[in-house]
């Protein structure tokens, strides 16, 4: 079967821009690479390891009762830098498949002890995330399934979370942010059958619909 062009239809002025999100171990990276080959688009693997390490340190400080307001603002600045770097990179790339994006960063600061949505730094992160979503054609959310909870390591060599409650919570945050901030751009993949033979046609169908109303850049 011939590969479809990254440019689809006269109304699609440039190649597709897709972002994939979901909890660790849900198949984001393998799906992203398969889509990259299928659509002839570059695959961007975002590394949020620095943010995870910083968050873990703040959690340890909170556990010892040593968390200060300055710790929040410093962490927020790190998150802002990460999203701004993504936005710059996305603006320079005509089309891509991205594994993790701004929603993954924003979700992390909605978890205790960082859930301070009234702070000015949160509003800044939210605005940057909205800006990034407006540049995307489709957001794909990979589902939790039985194998999502099996012990394994990610591409960075980190042990994945296998505890049901923490993984379900972060996945719910990813899903909730996507459907709240970009409902018209979000596709939730089914958990019943996780084969790419099922998932990829659904994504291509969603992109066909998106070509009727492509995002503005």
């Amino acid at each position: 079967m011939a590969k479809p062009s990254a440019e689809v239809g006269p109304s699609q002025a440039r190649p597709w821009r897709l972002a994939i999100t979901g909890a660790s171990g849900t198949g984001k990276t393998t799906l992203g690479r398969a889509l990259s080959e299928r659509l002839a688009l570059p695959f961007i693997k975002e590394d949020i390891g620095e943010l995870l390490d910083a968050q873990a340190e703040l959690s340890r400080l909170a556990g010892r009762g040593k968390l200060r307001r300055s710790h929040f603002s410093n962490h927020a600045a790190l998150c802002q830098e990460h999203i701004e770097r993504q936005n710059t990179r996305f603006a320079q790339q005509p089309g891509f498949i991205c594994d993790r994006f701004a929603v993954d960063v924003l979700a992390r600061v909605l978890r205790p002890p960082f859930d301070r949505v009234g702070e000015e730094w949160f509003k800044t992160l939210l605005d940057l995330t909205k800006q990034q979503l407006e540049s995307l054609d489709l957001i794909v959310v990979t589902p939790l399934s039985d194998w999502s909870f099996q012990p394994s390591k990610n591409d960075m060599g980190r042990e994945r979370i296998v505890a049901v409650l923490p993984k379900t919570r972060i996945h719910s945050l990813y899903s909730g942010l996507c459907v709240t901030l970009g409902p018209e751009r979000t596709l939730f993949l089914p958990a019943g059958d996780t084969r790419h033979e099922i998932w990829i046609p659904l994504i291509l169908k969603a992109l066909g619909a998106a070509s009727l109303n492509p995002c503005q850049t």
Side-chain angles (χ1 to χ4, degrees):
M1 179 182 296
K3 294 180 181 178
S5 168
E7 304 240 8
V8 182
S11 62
Q12 182 65 17
R14 53 155 180 73
W16 299 115
R17 291 176 169 180
L18 287 76
I20 306 174
T21 189
S24 62
T26 55
K28 295 185 302 299
T29 302
T30 54
L31 175 62
R33 287 173 176 156
L35 281 171
S36 173
E37 181 178 356
R38 183 76 171 82
L39 294 173
L41 289 172
F43 176 63
I44 301 174
K45 172 68 176 177
E46 286 296 328
D47 183 357
I48 61 170
E50 180 184 17
L51 299 181
L52 296 179
D53 288 341
Q55 184 175 341
E57 177 59 26
L58 291 181
S59 294
R60 285 191 287 269
L61 289 171
R64 298 197 298 267
K66 295 183 178 181
L67 195 58
R68 302 291 180 263
R69 187 179 181 86
S70 60
H71 293 129
F72 287 103
S73 57
N74 290 341
H75 185 66
L78 183 64
C79 291
Q80 180 176 339
E81 179 183 342
H82 187 92
I83 297 177
E84 287 177 336
R85 189 165 58 244
Q86 274 190 333
N87 287 352
T88 299
R89 185 177 185 181
F90 288 0
Q92 297 169 348
Q93 187 72 50
F96 53 80
I97 313 289
C98 184
D99 178 357
R100 296 197 180 280
F101 66 121
V103 157
D104 296 79
V105 179
L106 189 64
R108 294 285 168 176
V109 297
L110 285 172
R111 301 176 68 191
F114 315 104
D115 49 344
R116 299 191 174 191
V117 297
E119 298 286 348
E120 192 62 36
W121 57 258
F122 180 81
K123 296 176 183 177
T124 299
L125 293 179
L126 182 60
D127 287 342
L128 287 170
T129 300
K130 289 178 178 178
Q131 175 187 336
Q132 189 177 117
L133 262 68
E134 290 174 358
S135 74
L136 298 172
D137 295 298
L138 187 66
I139 301 163
V140 178
V141 183
T142 50
L144 290 173
S145 59
D146 290 344
W147 50 268
S148 304
F149 300 96
Q150 301 301 314
S152 62
K153 292 184 179 181
N154 62 21
D155 286 355
M156 298 175 284
R158 296 169 179 270
E159 293 289 342
R160 290 190 170 103
I161 298 173
V162 295
V164 174
L165 190 56
K167 178 164 277 192
T168 302
R169 281 175 174 168
I170 191 64
H171 190 77
S172 296
L173 282 172
Y174 294 149
S175 301
L177 285 170
C178 289
V179 79
T180 299
L181 301 178
E184 74 287 352
R185 292 183 173 90
T186 300
L187 172 66
F188 290 91
L189 293 175
D193 193 334
T194 59
R195 292 175 299 163
H196 288 172
E197 292 86 345
I198 301 297
W199 281 0
I200 290 180
L202 293 174
I203 294 169
L204 296 179
K205 182 179 179 180
L207 286 174
S211 68
L212 301 176
N213 185 26
C215 71
Q216 302 298 314
T217 57

